[in-house]
């Protein structure tokens, strides 16, 4: 069987499972199974697929057919133009989150220091530290798997020396002095608990602890609004990823008076996706 036929067969199987982008996913799986680039695949569709690669492809296709997220099967995914390891038990980085990186880059002064609360795979921290060699960070997660994955990703990109990793359940115990940060950035769990059972089945394969924002989705924002202002210098910023709908307006209502609302930013599909506050 050649590469093109293998891709078509995998795509057919995936289509039967109701996957939204079967061709594209089949291409990712085939490239991974055959250990080639997707561009090589496009350029040489009639090369034969080795038996061992074919076995890997069918095995991965069946896992995907069973509802496992593509990114967990591949074991790596791209965020802000860089490849990072992803693993079950840790939230998969989303392209939507890249707008936090863009805004954080404009907020952070030269030699700036930031705190990333709920770092997950470490995607935001990794993107910021890679883009700017003057920055330093503290990255925090309550999930030990996330902390170890972030460690791996930072190591992979040679960034460990500029990041302090902290495994913490309670935000208040972060070892950082008052006024230490120019930015606190977070993509906290923000899905209202009652909506979680209605999420797509792939998303429900991701850790609940990274999605569950309590009854109204605002649980972790309340906690962050409680302690983060003290950690920020005056003129520093708080930057959150937010859910769509009313979440931005709700956050404006519950923000403390020490934080001045700056604005809501939209993602590529024009949904409200981030909000920022200035420490006054
Ligand atoms: N953006 C994620 C989703 O919609 C949610 C991540 C989060 O709760 N921070 O699945």
């Amino acid at each position: 069987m050649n590469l093109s036929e293998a891709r078509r067969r995998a795509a057919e199987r995936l289509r039967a499972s109701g996957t939204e982008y079967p061709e594209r996913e089949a291409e990712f799986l085939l490239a991974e199974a055959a250990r080639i680039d997707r561009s090589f695949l496009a350029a040489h569709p009639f090369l034969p697929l080795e038996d061992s690669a074919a076995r890997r492809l069918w095995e991965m296709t069946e896992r995907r057919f069973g509802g496992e997220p593509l990114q967990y099967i591949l074991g790596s995914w791209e965020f802000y133009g860089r490849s990072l390891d992803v693993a079950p038990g840790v939230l998969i980085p989303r392209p939507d989150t890249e707008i936090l990186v863009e805004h954080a880059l404009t907020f952070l002064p030269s030699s700036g220091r930031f705190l990333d609360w709920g770092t997950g795979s470490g995607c935001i921290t990794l993107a910021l530290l890679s883009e700017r060699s003057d920055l330093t960070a503290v990255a925090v997660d309550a999930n030990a798997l996330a902390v170890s994955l972030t460690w791996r990703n930072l190591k992979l990109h040679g960034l460990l020396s500029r990041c302090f990793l902290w495994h913490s359940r309670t935000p208040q115990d972060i070892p950082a002095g008052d006024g230490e940060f120019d930015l606190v950035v977070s993509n906290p769990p923000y899905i209202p608990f009652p909506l979680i059972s209605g999420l797509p089945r792939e998303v429900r394969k991701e850790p609940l602890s990274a999605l569950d924002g309590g009854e109204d989705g605002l649980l972790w924002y309340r906690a962050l609004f409680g302690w983060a202002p003290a950690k920020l210098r005056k003129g520093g910023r708080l930057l959150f990823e937010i859910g769509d709908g009313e979440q931005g307006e709700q956050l404006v209502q519950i923000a403390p008076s020490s934080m001045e609302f700056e604005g809501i930013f939209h993602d590529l599909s024009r949904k409200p996706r981030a909000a920022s506050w200035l420490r006054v």
Side-chain angles (χ1 to χ4, degrees):
M1 187 176 352
N2 67 34
L3 295 173
S4 167
E5 284 160 358
R7 178 177 44 192
R8 188 178 46 73
R9 276 225 227 155
E12 259 167 37
R13 181 75 174 142
L14 296 179
R15 192 172 302 108
S17 74
T19 308
E20 207 177 342
Y21 305 106
E23 273 87 16
R24 190 163 165 265
E25 294 203 358
E27 196 174 292
F28 272 101
L29 292 178
L30 175 56
E32 179 66 23
R35 301 187 174 133
I36 52 178
D37 282 349
R38 282 185 299 135
S39 53
F40 182 89
L41 189 60
H44 306 280
F46 303 115
L47 283 184
L49 180 68
E50 286 175 18
D51 288 351
S52 56
R55 272 196 300 278
R56 281 195 295 275
L57 175 63
W58 305 136
E59 191 237 323
M60 290 194 291
T61 305
E62 286 313 303
R63 284 169 64 190
R64 184 69 190 111
F65 186 84
E68 211 177 314
L70 175 73
Q71 295 88 340
Y72 287 161
I73 299 169
L74 297 173
S76 68
W77 197 239
E78 205 169 281
F79 181 81
Y80 215 78
R82 290 173 184 85
S83 171
L84 7 79
D85 284 3
V86 296
V90 181
L91 192 80
I92 297 162
R94 274 64 170 161
D96 303 330
T97 304
E98 293 182 354
I99 71 153
L100 270 85
V101 176
E102 270 157 33
H103 288 283
L105 287 171
T106 68
F107 291 158
L108 281 160
S110 160
S111 301
R113 185 162 171 77
F114 66 91
L115 186 144
D116 174 10
W117 190 84
T119 192
S121 60
C123 58
I124 297 174
T125 292
L126 189 136
L128 291 173
L129 295 179
S130 311
E131 289 293 313
R132 293 256 307 269
S133 60
D134 58 311
L135 301 177
T136 56
V138 175
V140 183
D141 208 289
N143 173 359
L145 276 175
V147 177
S148 63
L149 187 63
T150 297
W151 186 89
R152 240 163 62 200
N153 279 323
L154 292 173
K155 182 154 175 68
L156 204 65
H157 290 266
L159 300 168
L160 269 180
S161 64
R162 284 189 284 128
C163 184
F164 187 83
L165 276 172
W166 187 248
H167 178 213
S168 173
R169 293 232 146 252
T170 48
Q172 289 83 349
D173 68 6
I174 290 162
D178 282 356
E180 187 174 316
F181 295 103
D182 299 292
L183 173 75
V184 172
V185 62
S186 182
N187 173 15
Y190 57 65
I191 313 265
F193 183 72
L195 302 186
I196 288 195
S197 59
L199 291 173
R201 71 173 178 164
E202 282 93 346
V203 180
R204 280 183 283 120
K205 293 261 161 64
E206 295 186 81
L208 183 64
S209 62
L211 300 169
D212 177 11
E215 205 50 36
D216 62 358
L218 305 181
L219 179 68
W220 296 106
Y221 296 113
R222 285 195 191 89
L224 283 150
F225 275 140
W227 63 267
K231 300 290 178 210
L232 285 167
R233 66 163 172 84
K234 279 206 163 53
R237 279 172 169 105
L238 190 52
L239 175 64
F240 287 148
E241 177 163 325
I242 61 171
D244 55 10
E246 302 298 303
Q247 206 157 54
E249 287 78 22
Q250 291 169 335
L251 289 178
V252 171
Q253 299 300 320
I254 65 169
S257 57
S258 60
M259 301 303 302
E260 188 180 288
F261 174 62
E262 284 194 303
I264 289 181
F265 312 113
H266 293 71
D267 63 20
L268 290 172
S269 43
R270 297 178 198 277
K271 286 189 180 150
R273 185 58 68 189
S276 76
W277 286 261
L278 186 71
R279 171 86 162 89
V280 289

